[in-house]
Amino acid sequence: MKFFVDTADLSEIKDLSETGLIDGVTTNPSLIMKADRPMKDIIAEICEIVDGPVSAEVTAIETDEMIREGKLLAGIAENVCIKLPLTLAGLKACKELTDEGFQTNVTLCFSAVQALLAAKAGATYISPFIGRLDDINIDGMGLIADIRRIYDNYGFETEILAASIRTSNHVREAALLGADVATVPPATLKGLVKHPLTDKGLDAFLADWKKTGQTIG
């Protein structure tokens, strides 16, 4: 499973990139707003830090404008992935941009049939929103399972990018169900390394080492 980090915070991206854990970055207009800088500058700097796909989202709602904005965003760097909404206009834009060789990420997916349409439009990635479904008492992980089965049934190459992930359990379940990618907020991604038994074991090892009076080197 690949990990993308869901943020436009450059310091967080730099920090996590040094771990070798992240394979890409996803952004959206809300994350850009929090960064409080010009979008093109932010995307350009992220693309310098990360070699993998960097999702940059169009803000237009009509197909022609989506395509125009998408090409402008893709011109920032070779690893920009054009993020499009799961609307009919967005699917039309996805088809044209994909046919022209651009990477595309179709976002705001909340049903398996929406994911089927995105795959038929040639999307590179589909972004089902797990947490937002859980918020309204719908099983977000059930959606991941349904999409995986449909894509496997018909041999679609669109990658399932599990989004709106809130917890380490979301990551575990998405991995078990065969999601190709999880896009995770920095705090959640860092939290995956934590386990109380790891901390307890390390404390015990260090305490015993101190008793030996030794040093390494």
Side-chain angles (χ1 to χ4, degrees):
M1 177 188 249
K2 290 178 279 191
F3 284 135
F4 291 176
V5 61
D6 192 36
T7 185
D9 185 322
L10 293 171
S11 63
E12 291 279 20
I13 294 168
K14 287 177 183 176
D15 182 45
L16 287 166
S17 70
E18 293 172 359
T19 68
L21 294 175
I22 62 171
D23 304 287
V25 175
T26 54
T27 69
N28 59 48
S30 297
L31 293 172
I32 296 294
M33 180 194 70
K34 290 178 184 177
D36 195 27
R37 290 183 55 213
M39 179 183 187
K40 290 182 180 179
D41 292 349
I42 294 171
I43 297 300
E45 291 185 43
I46 294 173
C47 289
E48 289 179 2
I49 300 168
V50 178
D51 293 330
V54 176
S55 286
E57 189 165 346
V58 302
T59 57
I61 59 172
E62 300 297 336
T63 299
D64 290 345
E65 272 299 293
M66 288 184 191
I67 293 169
R68 185 186 70 81
E69 289 184 1
K71 289 180 178 180
L72 287 172
L73 292 171
I76 296 172
E78 291 185 358
N79 54 327
V80 167
C81 179
I82 304 165
K83 201 170 183 183
L84 302 155
L86 213 163
T87 61
L88 192 57
L91 293 177
K92 289 179 181 178
C94 176
K95 176 68 167 62
E96 181 161 334
L97 290 166
T98 301
D99 286 348
E100 292 187 31
F102 296 102
Q103 293 187 81
T104 53
N105 176 1
V106 176
T107 190
L108 292 170
C109 173
F110 294 98
S111 76
V113 290
Q114 284 182 318
L116 173 59
L117 296 179
K120 289 182 70 65
T124 311
Y125 301 98
I126 182 67
S127 291
F129 276 44
I130 296 165
R132 293 196 194 183
L133 284 171
D134 287 350
D135 289 345
I136 58 170
N137 297 315
I138 295 175
D139 181 12
M141 285 304 163
L143 175 57
I144 299 294
D146 288 348
I147 297 171
R148 180 76 278 160
R149 182 170 180 179
I150 289 169
Y151 282 9
D152 289 348
N153 280 350
Y154 298 102
F156 288 120
E157 295 182 0
T158 298
E159 294 192 30
I160 302 170
L161 196 167
S164 187
I165 283 181
R166 311 269 176 80
T167 67
S168 59
N169 278 339
H170 276 162
V171 176
R172 178 183 64 83
E173 291 177 33
L176 287 170
L177 291 168
D180 300 287
V181 187
T183 187
V184 187
T188 305
L189 184 54
K190 291 176 181 178
L192 297 179
V193 76
K194 294 291 186 180
H195 194 286
L197 293 179
T198 301
D199 295 338
K200 184 177 180 180
L202 180 58
D203 288 343
F205 290 155
L206 292 176
D208 287 343
W209 177 249
K210 186 176 181 180
K211 292 173 186 176
T212 70
Q214 300 179 48
T215 61
I216 298 175

